[in-house]
Amino acid sequence: YDELFANDEALSCLDELFYVGIIDERFSPVCHGLNIFMFAALIFVALILLTQCLCSLIYVARSHRTFTRDDGEVPVMVMVPCYNEGDKELRKTINSVLDTDYPDQNKVLLVIADGVITGHGEDRSTPEHLANILGFRIRKRDKSYGYTSIG
């Protein structure tokens, strides 16, 4: 080691290869103010994240609300969107909604059918399956059955 750095020639070579610059140690009020602003912004963001974390923990840790008799008196609408559903799937979904413990007089089932698309392996479209399940007949000339495709 001593032989390698015995003269200044090796040190000047290393300085030329790895010299980046010197640290500016001048004091500037603008730079000092920007540093203070950046630290304040960093602390502000950290406090927001900490508050969000604490609020999440409080939300998770609170006691869960139980279903009371008064809750059953509030009307509720269950919307079931259907697209290329067969008879078996539609019956399963409708029966699942109807078999809930919620009182029937406060429960409305709204089934939204896709249109007249017949899925793979199906003999009827989703609205035709629904008509069969719910017990009504679709008239082909009915204006509510038709639609205009804009796509």
Side-chain angles (χ1 to χ4, degrees):
Y1 180 81
D2 290 335
E3 291 175 10
L4 181 63
F5 297 110
N7 58 11
D8 290 337
E9 190 175 305
L11 290 175
S12 65
C13 179
L14 288 175
D15 279 343
E16 287 178 23
L17 287 174
F18 301 107
Y19 184 76
V20 175
I22 54 175
I23 297 174
D24 186 8
E25 295 181 6
R26 294 178 294 174
F27 178 78
S28 169
V30 175
C31 288
H32 186 68
L34 286 175
N35 283 339
I36 291 173
F37 174 74
M38 292 301 290
F39 280 121
L42 178 68
I43 291 170
F44 178 72
V45 170
L47 286 175
I48 288 175
L49 291 174
L50 182 66
T51 305
Q52 183 180 7
C53 182
L54 289 175
C55 289
S56 298
L57 289 174
I58 290 170
Y59 179 76
V60 169
R62 70 180 182 154
S63 63
H64 294 287
R65 188 169 173 258
T66 57
F67 186 72
T68 63
R69 188 164 194 82
D70 294 336
D71 292 331
E73 295 176 4
V74 178
V76 67
M77 179 182 287
V78 180
M79 294 173 45
V80 180
C82 305
Y83 182 77
N84 282 344
E85 303 291 334
D87 189 75
K88 181 180 175 183
E89 293 87 11
L90 288 171
R91 286 184 189 275
K92 181 180 174 185
T93 302
I94 291 171
N95 286 334
S96 174
V97 172
L98 294 177
D99 290 342
T100 59
D101 293 336
Y102 209 80
D104 289 338
Q105 64 269 18
N106 294 337
K107 179 171 37 178
V108 175
L109 175 64
L110 176 64
V111 182
I112 303 166
D114 59 348
V116 289
I117 298 172
T118 302
H120 180 70
E122 298 293 332
D123 57 341
R124 291 178 280 183
S125 66
T126 304
E128 291 169 338
H129 280 296
L130 283 170
N132 183 39
I133 292 169
L134 300 175
F136 65 90
R137 180 183 291 172
I138 296 177
R139 294 178 306 228
K140 298 292 183 180
R141 292 185 215 138
D142 189 0
K143 290 183 181 183
S144 64
Y145 187 71
Y147 66 95
T148 303
S149 176
I150 59 173

